[in-house]
Amino acid sequence: MPIYEYRCGSCGFEKEYLQKVNDAPITACPACGSDAYAKLISAAGFQLKGSGWYATDFKNGGKPKSKPDAETGAAAKSDTGAAKSDTATPAAPAASPACVDD
């Protein structure tokens, strides 16, 4: 059930009430009895507790999940292996086309 805030327009009395959404608004001020008691518009204040989806899926602010170490380790090894093979054996010079004037 939501918590609603009320304020009296005559005396300024404020109070919060736990009400169902379908409940009729309170119109009489409990302090002065005036009919100027009105529901205020405010931000909802609530806290999620427990180990629900919000804690497991969005706890890190929407950062993507990291890849498993097996995948990142294999990719790192293949990259370093390719770099070593390039430096260990120099590339053969490119063959130039033969010029034939017939």
Side-chain angles (χ1 to χ4, degrees):
M1 283 193 294
I3 298 172
Y4 295 104
E5 292 180 281
Y6 285 84
R7 181 184 307 149
C8 180
S10 297
C11 67
F13 178 75
E14 291 186 18
K15 188 172 179 180
E16 295 178 344
Y17 295 94
L18 183 65
Q19 293 181 302
K20 293 181 182 178
V21 176
N22 297 343
D23 287 349
I26 301 168
T27 56
C29 175
C32 69
S34 172
D35 288 336
Y37 207 48
K39 189 185 296 187
L40 301 175
I41 298 174
S42 61
F46 67 95
Q47 182 178 5
L48 301 173
K49 293 184 179 181
S51 61
W53 61 268
Y54 60 89
T56 57
D57 293 344
F58 299 106
K59 191 170 187 172
N60 295 332
K63 294 180 184 175
K65 294 181 180 178
S66 62
K67 294 181 181 179
D69 291 338
E71 288 181 16
T72 56
K77 287 179 184 176
S78 66
D79 290 343
T80 57
K84 287 180 182 177
S85 66
D86 288 344
T87 57
T89 56
S96 60
C99 294
V100 179
D101 292 331
D102 289 326

